[in-house]
Amino acid sequence: MTDTVQLQAICRFRVHETLVLADPDGVLVVPEVGLLVVSDLHFEKGSSFAVGGQMLPPYDTRTTLRRLAEAIERHQPRTVIALGDSFHDTRADQRMHDEDAATLCALVNRLERWIWIEGNHDPAPPPQFGGEVTDEIELAGLVFRHEPTEGAAPGEVAGHLHPCAKVRRKGRSVRNRCFATDGTRLILPAFGAYTGGLNVCDDAFTRCFGGTPDAMIMGRDRVWPVAAKACVPDRY
Amino acid sequence: MPDTQPPSLLPSRFADWFASRGWAARPHQLEMIEAAQAGEDALLIAPTGGGKTLGGFLPSLIELAETVAANPRPDRPHALHTLYISPLKALSVDVARNLMTPVSEMGLDLRIETRTGDTSQSKRQRQRAQPPDILLTTPEQLALFCATANAEAFFRDLRRIVIDEVHAIAPQKRGDLLALGLAAITRWAPDARRAGLSATVADEGGLARWLTAQSPDTSRFARIVRGAPGARPRVDILDPDTRIPWAGHSGRHAIADVYERIKASKMALVFVNTRSQAEMTFQELWNINDENLPIALHHGSLAPEQRRKVEAAMAAGKLKAVVCTSTLDLGIDWGDVDLVVQMGAPKGSSRLIQRLGRSNHQLDSPSRALLAPTNRFEHLECQAAREAVAANALDGEPLKAGALDVLAQHIMGRGCGEAFNADALFDEIRTASPYAELDRETYDKVLDFTATGGYALATYDRFRRLIKRRDGLWTARTPQIAQRHRLNVGTIVESPMLDVVVSSRGRGGHRLGQIEEWFVDQLAPGDTFLFAGQVLRFEGIEEMAVRVTRSTDTEPRIPTYNGGKFPLSTYLAARVRDLVQDPSGWDQLPSQVRDWLDLQQKRSRLPRAKGLLVETFPRSARFYLVCYPFEGRLAHQTLGMLLTRRLERMRMRPMGFVANEYALSVWGLRDLSGLDFDALFDEDMMGDDLDAWLAESQLMMRTFRNCAVIAGLIERRFPGHEKTGRQVTMSTDLIYNVLREHEPDHVLLKAAWADAGSGLLDIHRLGTALSRIKGQIEHVDLDRISPLAVPVMLEIGKEPVYGEGHESILEDVSSEDLIAEAMRLD
């Protein structure tokens, strides 16, 4: 599946011996098993605000689905893992527009295998879209779960923390979503259209990596690898 | 004078009071009374010191005196008679104080009260239950009244509305909000007449229309009442012996001269254009202040208590000079100012005239002003401004059609007050002149937006904010929704600010003021910056406050606040272009500036007023294109953005650009001299190129965020549940992208577009400029940089270079080795 992909746009590296690719739109690919991993889709986050009186544009699910379909088209995986918090809350499926629900169904059922990992926002992902549900799964020498383990966890691929990194240069700065890794384990960026980010310099990452992890920062057309020491906190 | 007027205009009690002071009522004051008696709205245009405030209030005082006379009992029932609205809280307080003098001296028993954001909850409630005779307040407070039940009963007895500094409010979104509030009041109190007060009105007809309730299909205008013009101000331009800098805004070369002038004055106001300039000028003055003159600092980021202290010291005559920004532009009477210094170019003639009015609050003696240009181009601008002042030619912001985000806020507010009928509200809104041309379809869209978000994908019906009741009236769905709306009323969306707290050993400390969050985000511990007149060392952030200690550094990193950078006014720009093209008008300029222009004429060409001069030249392995539109930095930045996109498509490999108020410089790796410049500067760049750029422009996202906050799509920070500004910025960018993808015609995007036309992007002005220069481009190919190009070329490296986007920062810091080192790439 990798030969269809423009390699310069992709960051290739190993996590705990397994070769992976970080895509600039925020999905992870494990070529040897034809696997695409995506995390924190947060479907229907927009409509959850409407419940509280803030009428955010109800199109976040649609945008997220479009980008996900494009990523799947780009990488042609056999298997997709949605790494938890796919649905913003337990009623998200009830608020989802019929058209979006149909799009999601079609996407799930086109794949050989689709795995919903349970997340804290969606402890029981709704069954009507198809796919399997589990709390974690092992593939290609890696273990996939939603919440990263505190302390060493070689081979773990997780989401939950929404990593992003900030870098500064000549008095100006940029802050984007990123993959966080130290070579033994990895945390995926959040993929959902309305998801914010947590700086990799935050303590939450230190508890997992024993320090600030390196960041694979998502640029416009490619992923930029940035060493931990070049990442700065949002504020001192 | 009064004896030539019919005696009925000024009751004897008032005539006696004037006489007791040795005054006579001025003709414009009497005409205000006459207009009021005729039941007309009136716009009073009179210079500062011309008794404008009294002119606005005299009709009220006369009517109230009659009421008191008819019922002299001390416990007479009070009813709200006059509402006074000003753009500044401080102005309300000041006017209330000044009004008390004639009221008490005439023995009138009147209740005059202020109501601002600072007024206590208990006093507000008391004011509701027992309104004063005269209430002095702000546009935001009026919007809050509209958004509460019983507004109708509260305003029913109102007779007069006085709007101070009306020229400053009307062209802004605050003016839209106020116009809508006035329309509501007029429905509740149809007899209430309006009076507008101003010293500097450029578009008299427009403002007279703004002030008055419109009727369908015909424009109506307030009566214009003019005061006698004051003595013409005397304006000098500083011509220092030292070398005038090519670029920059420090004004360091002029400080010694300015100091001498301050010394020779009674009290001086030193105006600057930005807060960072204020800090710098203050510092420079104190560096040479051998005589320890009491010189103070005043700008909008300082803590209010700090500012109040400076204002009190001024009023008491204890200061020699105050370095200030536009915070002291508007009409508070600070005592014995006899000199106004303008550091840096004044940017517009109305602004300068307004500032000149701060000195010498007496009509008959001229105010004195000193303009201190900070670089060569500013000399041209100051000269043009002096001529404009001499001709009393005013500019100022043009009036625009009412903003749709403000309309959304007002409609929601009305739903939080008394339930409304949609048809009747439409008619009422169209009596507000900014919305007189509003069509029903747009109104319905905004109403739908307010109720449900107004999306084509109508999924939010069950979460509506406004519901239509069975009786056909619209109202907020729940009291909680109404309460949340009230916390978000207003049109001023500040960029998020953090307190600056200074402490000696890390503990305790006191608050110096507030600073923009984005600036703090750029600081690392140990960085120093200038604030509140001191060099401070950044220690860190604790509980939403910036912790700093005092530093002994002499070279601080100066905050470059984005607030307060006014663009050069269109009017003044035209005058500068005229001045430059014609050497016969240069005799007023310092010889250094004349020599510079002479050299430009020899080496290249002078820009012509009607055209656009484009120069190309090579310089250290790069090729430059410099042009001189004189349209202000904002419009130039937009032009630079569009030109580089275009050059990229033509494979000219542009690398960056930099703009100042007068010129734009673009550079790249290929020779640009052979281009078709008519095609390059063609107006069609305002189409697809602009659209593509706006899709990702940070400025556009900021513009959208402001609209989203005002329209109530997202909430501003409330005290107590602060989100950090970062979270707000993040989410509005995401919202902008999603909305643009799925509903590019959404009403909120339309509102943001309308703002982009004038605000941070100045698109409208750029469009006008491009059509002005069409077919009028003069290109000069040079072998080296021209004299006129030097200032903008010196900005390279100081100003952010817009060609370098976020990607280039990422490219700089990213290391391919990282993967090899840390991750064992195959």
Side-chain angles (χ1 to χ4, degrees), chain B residues 566-604:
Chain B
F566 322 106
L568 175 64
S569 82
T570 311
Y571 173 78
L572 220 47
R575 273 187 178 259
V576 172
R577 281 196 298 266
D578 285 340
L579 179 65
V580 171
Q581 79 163 1
D582 181 12
S584 70
W586 296 354
D587 50 331
Q588 300 278 326
L589 297 170
S591 56
Q592 295 183 55
V593 176
R594 273 201 313 268
D595 294 348
W596 172 52
L597 292 177
D598 271 334
L599 205 59
Q600 168 70 15
Q601 202 171 9
K602 290 199 188 81
R603 291 262 306 106
S604 172

Side-chain angles (χ1 to χ4, degrees), chain B residues 494-505:
Chain B
E494 298 277 0
S495 65
M497 306 285 273
L498 295 171
D499 282 349
V500 179
V501 176
V502 66
S503 50
S504 45
R505 283 196 187 72

Side-chain angles (χ1 to χ4, degrees), chain B residues 470-521:
Chain B
R470 228 169 282 150
D471 60 6
L473 300 183
W474 292 73
T475 185
R477 183 165 56 89
T478 66
Q480 289 76 21
I481 288 174
Q483 190 48 34
R484 281 171 76 164
H485 170 79
R486 284 184 210 113
L487 291 172
N488 282 284
V489 158
T491 60
I492 301 167
V493 183
E494 298 277 0
S495 65
M497 306 285 273
L498 295 171
D499 282 349
V500 179
V501 176
V502 66
S503 50
S504 45
R505 283 196 187 72
R507 288 299 106 203
H510 75 277
R511 190 167 155 257
L512 286 179
Q514 290 199 309
I515 199 163
E516 278 88 348
E517 185 176 33
W518 66 263
F519 177 73
V520 177
D521 283 350

Side-chain angles (χ1 to χ4, degrees), chain B residues 358-371:
Chain B
R358 298 302 97 223
S359 104
N360 232 344
H361 265 198
Q362 268 106 47
L363 255 193
D364 13 343
S365 52
S367 43
R368 279 194 310 133
L370 177 69
L371 306 184

Side-chain angles (χ1 to χ4, degrees), chain A residues 55 59 66 168 220 235, chain B residues 517 522 741 743 807:
Chain A
M55 307 295 182
Y59 302 109
R66 172 186 57 75
R168 295 199 298 175
R220 193 184 300 157
R235 279 185 195 151
Chain B
E517 185 176 33
Q522 308 294 323
E741 176 184 341
E743 218 169 307
E807 291 292 309

